[in-house]
Amino acid sequence: MKPHLHQLHPELADTLPHLRLGTSPTPVRRLSAFDTVNTPIWLKDDSAFGDGGWGGNKVRKLEWLLPDALRRHRTTIVTVGGLGTNWGLATALYGREHGVKTVLALIDQPEDDHVRAQLKRLRESGADLHFTHTKARTILAAPWLLARNFANGRPPYFLPAGGSSPVGALGYVEAALELAEQVRNGELPEPTHIVTALGSGGTVAGLSVGLRLAGLSTRVVGVVVNDTLRLDEPAMSKLADRTLRLLRARGARIPETLSPTGNLEIVTDWLGPGYGQPYPEAATAQALSWDREQMTLEPVYTAKAMAALMDLDAHGRFGDGPVVYLNTNGPR
């Protein structure tokens, strides 16, 4: 089945190939236990996307990134993440299935049982691991990593953290088009807002573009959970604009009057002490999500986003809604 983006713009099929890795559409349902009197809360559950126990936003991005790398005849991906990176592990596992080697530069983050278990999985994935420790040392090491991973005269395919390049953002352009079809089919009402974790930017930027392409007025609320990257509104608007320009450059007939800007809101009060650091409100949101709705969140990204949604809702920031919570949780 063609993705919605290719249905809307068939001229992109050759210039922006797609590789089906997950199952869509991901389900939507009312989170009745989280409703207030005036604000219905809905879930779009991207933890159900993917196969082999995988889900989340990483696989949606790889559906566009891996075929783009293969189209360019690249056999190695170089990317970066924290010690417990779900992004790096997903890239290594799906890349291995399609003949692409993954090289990971790993930056320190607080270690707990999850991070230690993830490092074990990373070592078993076949990825080439480089412990660069800090953002500054990673930047210094990048030219060396790229130079040593040329293959057949071609450079590796470099990806920023989280796969949040314009091509990676197409995963959430597609998700927004999918959500719009679910609205048209009567599966949920058109939301006034969609709330999600903001860790590297590709999800939020892609949603911004996709909602405009779909003709929805829904605003994107990105909850910042990472203090190691610039994730403010100008940076996200720039990535959204680059994604729109990529679509036009690859052949999409998109009116020049269409702009992704103006539907983004970035909130920063739910990061806690820092990236990967425990945050009591997130722990509460994680426990309530399971107890009330049997929804599995994790503490680094999705629980902080739910904590933000609950607090913003309690202060009337969404008006009458409805509001969609996008669960981007990865491995199950």
Side-chain angles (χ1 to χ4, degrees):
M1 183 179 69
K2 286 184 180 180
H4 295 86
L5 190 55
H6 285 170
Q7 292 175 355
L8 189 63
H9 296 284
E11 62 273 16
L12 293 173
D14 293 330
T15 59
L16 279 170
H18 179 263
L19 177 63
R20 180 69 65 186
L21 299 174
T23 303
S24 59
T26 55
V28 293
R29 65 180 173 94
R30 180 83 169 261
L31 295 178
S32 300
F34 282 93
D35 283 358
T36 64
V37 174
N38 294 318
T39 311
I41 308 296
W42 288 74
L43 167 70
K44 184 162 178 63
D45 192 6
D46 268 19
S47 71
F49 190 85
D51 56 18
W54 279 86
N57 54 353
K58 318 307 182 191
V59 186
R60 278 204 189 264
K61 294 175 184 179
L62 287 168
E63 287 198 330
W64 298 89
L65 291 165
L66 276 175
D68 193 58
L70 293 169
R71 185 182 73 91
R72 296 169 179 269
H73 306 290
R74 308 295 172 87
T75 57
T76 302
I77 288 174
V78 173
T79 191
V80 61
L83 293 176
T85 173
N86 287 333
W87 157 247
L89 183 59
T91 303
L93 295 176
Y94 282 101
R96 185 175 67 186
E97 289 179 9
H98 294 87
V100 177
K101 175 186 173 183
T102 298
V103 177
L104 287 173
L106 296 176
I107 296 173
D108 292 344
Q109 71 178 86
E111 289 194 39
D112 56 16
D113 289 343
H114 166 75
V115 171
R116 286 185 283 272
Q118 191 78 332
L119 273 172
K120 183 174 184 292
R121 297 183 194 105
L122 286 168
R123 289 189 172 98
E124 293 170 351
S125 72
D128 186 1
L129 306 183
H130 297 269
F131 295 88
T132 50
H133 301 293
T134 66
K135 181 178 178 180
R137 290 181 62 177
T138 302
I139 292 169
L140 290 173
W144 176 78
L145 285 173
L146 294 171
R148 77 188 299 270
N149 284 289
F150 268 69
N152 300 319
R154 295 181 182 273
Y157 191 82
F158 175 75
L159 289 171
S164 289
S165 68
V167 174
L170 296 178
Y172 276 87
V173 174
E174 176 70 10
L177 297 175
E178 183 180 299
L179 178 68
E181 184 176 48
Q182 290 172 313
V183 170
R184 286 193 298 270
N185 291 341
E187 297 176 53
L188 77 163
E190 180 176 342
T192 58
H193 300 80
I194 182 167
V195 179
T196 194
L198 172 51
S200 60
T203 298
V204 164
L207 287 172
S208 173
V209 173
L211 290 167
R212 289 298 176 92
L213 288 176
L216 297 185
S217 59
T218 307
R219 293 183 61 76
V220 182
V221 180
V223 181
V224 174
V225 298
N226 187 350
D227 56 355
T228 68
L229 300 171
R230 184 184 171 189
L231 298 172
D232 56 13
E233 189 172 330
M236 294 304 95
S237 293
K238 182 178 179 180
L239 179 55
D241 184 62
R242 288 173 61 209
T243 303
L244 194 57
R245 286 191 280 118
L246 169 76
L247 289 169
R248 290 190 178 113
R250 298 288 181 95
R253 300 183 186 93
I254 298 172
E256 291 295 330
T257 54
L258 188 145
S259 168
T261 58
N263 64 349
L264 283 170
E265 181 179 352
I266 310 303
V267 295
T268 59
D269 294 337
W270 292 271
L271 172 67
Y275 175 70
Q277 297 279 2
Y279 183 52
E281 287 85 345
T284 300
Q286 184 178 19
L288 287 173
S289 295
W290 177 251
D291 292 342
R292 293 180 179 181
E293 292 284 356
Q294 290 71 59
M295 178 169 56
T296 302
L297 305 180
E298 44 68 45
V300 178
Y301 296 89
T302 52
K304 291 182 178 181
M306 178 53 83
L309 186 154
M310 293 167 62
D311 193 34
L312 291 168
D313 184 30
H315 287 87
R317 291 280 294 276
F318 300 129
D320 293 338
V323 175
V324 167
Y325 173 73
L326 175 64
N327 182 12
T328 56
N329 192 15
R332 291 177 294 215

